[in-house]
Amino acid sequence: EAAAAGLPTRDAVRDGIVRSAGVVTSAAVVMVAVFSIFGTLSMVEFKQLGVGLAAAILIDAVIIRIFVLPALMALLGRWNWWPARPKRPEHRATRTSAPAPGRSQWTRV
């Protein structure tokens, strides 16, 4: 959304990660907790499954989403959106803190 509104790639990546961080972190915490419970079961297969899935989610939430994803998106630049490249507006867009009802959160300056 930010790239489509005309923000530079680094700003668009930063905005997207900041806006989705709470949801991703909350989902990761819930999934790690649920899968960790499998480790308390008596069957070895369920223990392995639970520990493996909990570790995979934790690695994804911490290493991939904090370090790899932002770095890779910054390196790719405009190629992040290659199927539908954002249009280059004449003016730079900025995000308003609290959009008015029925209005977009992006405004051109």
Side-chain angles (χ1 to χ4, degrees):
E1 293 173 348
L7 287 178
T9 300
R10 287 186 185 263
D11 294 337
V13 169
R14 183 181 309 116
D15 183 67
I17 290 173
V18 167
R19 290 179 58 202
S20 65
V23 175
V24 170
T25 304
S26 300
V29 167
V30 170
M31 291 173 71
V32 168
V34 169
F35 291 139
S36 296
I37 292 172
F38 287 4
T40 64
L41 299 176
S42 60
M43 293 182 64
V44 175
E45 292 83 10
F46 285 137
K47 287 183 180 187
Q48 292 175 340
L49 179 72
V51 170
L53 287 172
I57 297 297
L58 192 60
I59 289 170
D60 176 62
V62 174
I63 295 173
I64 302 299
R65 301 207 186 255
I66 292 176
F67 298 113
V68 176
L69 179 69
L72 186 61
M73 288 186 79
L75 287 174
L76 288 174
R78 292 184 54 84
W79 281 99
N80 287 309
W81 300 277
W82 67 270
R85 294 180 191 229
K87 296 177 184 172
R88 300 225 66 175
E90 296 170 8
H91 302 287
R92 186 176 167 165
T94 59
R95 183 172 164 212
T96 58
S97 58
R103 301 208 58 201
S104 173
Q105 64 185 355
W106 300 101
T107 57
R108 298 193 193 279
V109 289

